[in-house]
Amino acid sequence: MTTDPTAGATRNPGGCLQPVLLRGRVDHLDGATGELLHRYTTVHEPGGVLPIACKTRRASQCPPCAEDYRADTYQVIRAGLSGGKGIPSSVAQHPCVFTTLTAPSFGPVHLHREKDGQLLRCRPRRRSELCPHGIRLSCPDRHPRDDPLLGEPLCPDCYDYTGAVLFNACAPELWRRFTMTLRRALARQVGLTNRAFAAQVRVSFAKVAEYQRRGIVHFHAIIRLDGPAGPTAVPPTWATHALLTEAIDQAARAVHLETPASPGLPARTMAWGRELDTRAITTTGKLTDARVAAYVAKYATKAAECTGTLDRRLTPADRLVDLPVRDHARRIIAECLRLAKLPGLEPLRLARWAHMLGFGGHFSTKSRAYSITLGSLRSERATYQREQAIAAGLLPDLDSDTTLVVSDWHFAGRAPAPSLQHKGGAG
Ligand SMILES: [Zn+2]
Ligand SMILES: [Zn+2]
Ligand SMILES: [Zn+2]
């Protein structure tokens, strides 16, 4: 028996702009006799194909599908903060924080700065120095939020493009090490061995990557302490906000990794930036569960395109000078391609991820016990749609224990996007 690729799909694939077209059939057979009880075939569909939503998470590729993804992500994140969808509401009492792990500086860039609703000067300096290229390393301007200058280096020739690319490439591993170090830091603070700690507390995460205007990723993470069984279990009384916040601080400052060395490129140590922002998530006040869930869900549908880079993978036919990107992004992409050729740096796969400015990780990830999964939300929806279809007489109401479902599907292409120019291929 094969899985049904159309599970959860509807005849009208949710307004998808680039649906996947399938040709095939689904037979419902009597498990005992093999008698054909019902057959669905795409032969009777328009063009003989069934369009299925592309289900991309990327708003730049298919806004309607990305909107579904955003809404589902919101539900998943929110359930992990305040309960719902099978997670008990007592989870809201567990210590839980929202933290931002930033990237270090790789050179001065133009900044949007604001205090109490007032725009502040970008980089005011009374006696500003000149860089070796004769550029003043200060900026008296007040940049509004949509200023195209934001994130641009004051001097591109001084900017450490190598460091910026290596940081993006190492960020997923840096995050992995951070989660391990955090567990150890928590155990040490309460005087437990790692094993004894793990028997009493489970640390759950949900994180999302965001590109800053300067083209470097940083991570926003929800970190929660549960009892050993996850969100249904009460954590010990010593597991507090204060303990969690202190351990995050220790772990974030301790974690580092060495980049591979290559002839002409010594190994470098990568670490998080000094700026660290950890705040408690509450059900009232400024940083509420709803706000955090909305924030994480919004970034889950974005990729690097908001920094003015490409929305697709580079191909050998692309010429760097012709790419429709801003110069800063072009320099980062060029550095990815240069470093990709250095012996020793192959594991970073920088050519493959050049359009992502070196970052090859996931945009949104959750530890297993954080909440329900996107998949369980989708299958809940599929069940509902199946029941609707049965009620409308479109599907037979057959006993699922005695009926065999045999599907045979073939990929029949992709419908062209009507309004978006789809370039495809991007991860
Ligand atoms: Zn779509
Ligand atoms: Zn400026
Ligand atoms: Zn310079």
Side-chain angles (χ1 to χ4, degrees):
M1 201 158 85
T2 53
T3 52
D4 182 358
T6 64
T10 52
R11 296 300 171 95
N12 167 24
C16 176
L17 298 182
Q18 47 176 20
V20 176
L21 303 176
L22 295 178
R23 206 184 298 278
R25 64 171 197 226
V26 184
D27 289 344
H28 287 74
L29 307 172
D30 187 308
T33 66
E35 185 198 346
L36 180 64
L37 301 172
H38 183 271
R39 168 171 286 177
Y40 165 76
T41 154
T42 56
V43 166
H44 308 297
E45 300 289 345
V49 290
L50 180 68
I52 300 296
C54 74
K55 292 186 182 165
T56 183
R57 64 168 190 87
R58 298 184 55 173
S60 56
Q61 295 194 347
C62 180
C65 287
E67 173 52 26
D68 285 349
Y69 187 91
R70 190 202 58 74
D72 285 355
T73 302
Y74 178 86
Q75 301 267 358
V76 168
I77 296 296
R78 182 90 192 261
L81 295 174
S82 46
K85 305 268 163 202
I87 309 268
S89 59
S90 56
V91 76
Q93 311 306 319
H94 299 191
C96 187
V97 298
F98 191 53
T99 191
T100 299
L101 294 167
T102 59
S105 170
F106 295 101
V109 298
H110 293 281
L111 298 170
H112 164 86
R113 293 170 66 230
E114 216 182 88
K115 199 179 178 186
D116 305 325
Q118 291 269 308
L119 271 186
L120 300 181
R121 289 181 191 282
C122 172
R123 294 184 170 272
R125 298 277 185 283
R126 209 168 290 163
R127 275 175 300 150
S128 61
E129 342 138 46
L130 295 182
C131 83
H133 311 96
I135 289 176
R136 209 167 284 286
L137 293 179
S138 69
C139 172
D141 298 344
R142 299 169 205 269
H143 301 295
R145 233 172 241 288
D146 57 352
D147 192 330
L149 259 185
L150 289 181
E152 291 287 315
L154 269 61
C155 175
D157 292 326
C158 283
Y159 192 79
D160 178 10
Y161 284 96
T162 310
V165 164
L166 290 174
F167 181 86
N168 280 349
C170 293
E173 174 60 14
L174 216 47
W175 166 261
R176 196 183 68 83
R177 293 188 186 192
F178 166 75
T179 60
M180 293 190 309
T181 310
L182 175 61
R183 288 187 181 94
R184 288 199 287 265
L186 283 163
R188 198 172 48 239
Q189 278 197 69
V190 290
L192 290 175
T193 63
N194 296 335
R195 186 188 287 254
F197 175 82
Q200 296 184 45
V201 172
R202 183 161 197 147
V203 189
S204 281
F205 307 95
K207 82 155 202 306
V208 70
E210 182 201 352
Y211 277 86
Q212 297 177 291
R213 285 288 306 177
R214 59 182 169 141
I216 302 178
V217 282
H218 63 181
F219 292 130
H220 303 287
I222 295 164
I223 307 179
R224 192 186 67 215
L225 300 181
D226 298 328
T232 52
V234 180
T237 48
W238 49 256
T240 60
H241 270 120
L243 177 88
L244 178 56
T245 304
E246 173 60 25
I248 289 172
D249 196 74
Q250 282 180 15
R253 288 174 208 289
V255 168
H256 62 271
L257 68 85
E258 294 271 294
T259 63
S262 182
L265 184 76
R268 292 179 59 160
T269 303
M270 289 290 145
W272 301 111
R274 277 192 303 261
E275 252 178 81
L276 184 68
D277 181 25
T278 302
R279 284 178 288 164
I281 302 170
T282 51
T283 44
T284 54
K286 248 187 168 175
L287 199 63
T288 61
D289 51 341
R291 225 173 139 180
V292 169
Y295 195 77
V296 169
K298 179 176 116 191
Y299 281 105
T301 65
K302 293 202 157 121
E305 65 270 10
C306 42
T307 67
T309 177
L310 276 191
D311 191 22
R312 60 173 175 87
R313 218 162 257 166
L314 287 169
T315 71
D318 282 314
R319 283 175 7 137
L320 206 52
V321 287
D322 297 333
L323 296 179
V325 299
R326 61 191 249 243
D327 269 342
H328 182 52
R330 195 185 320 275
R331 285 212 187 207
I332 303 176
I333 292 171
E335 186 64 6
C336 285
L337 298 177
R338 184 184 79 85
L339 294 175
K341 296 198 194 93
L342 298 187
L345 268 62
E346 298 88 351
L348 300 180
R349 308 216 291 166
L350 288 168
R352 182 185 174 89
W353 299 115
H355 68 297
M356 301 297 281
L357 312 180
F359 176 68
H362 293 288
F363 271 81
S364 139
T365 52
K366 292 178 301 299
S367 56
R368 202 158 41 83
Y370 171 75
S371 177
I372 50 164
T373 62
L374 280 175
S376 72
L377 260 190
R378 289 188 186 130
S379 82
E380 199 179 279
R381 195 179 304 142
T383 305
Y384 172 78
Q385 284 167 353
R386 198 172 305 123
E387 283 162 3
Q388 296 284 302
I390 291 168
L394 295 169
L395 266 183
D397 187 7
L398 300 168
D399 184 345
S400 59
D401 291 337
T402 58
T403 309
L404 269 178
V405 183
V406 182
S407 321
D408 179 25
W409 291 107
H410 301 277
F411 176 68
R414 270 196 121 138
S419 58
L420 283 188
Q421 205 196 343
H422 175 56
K423 291 166 180 161

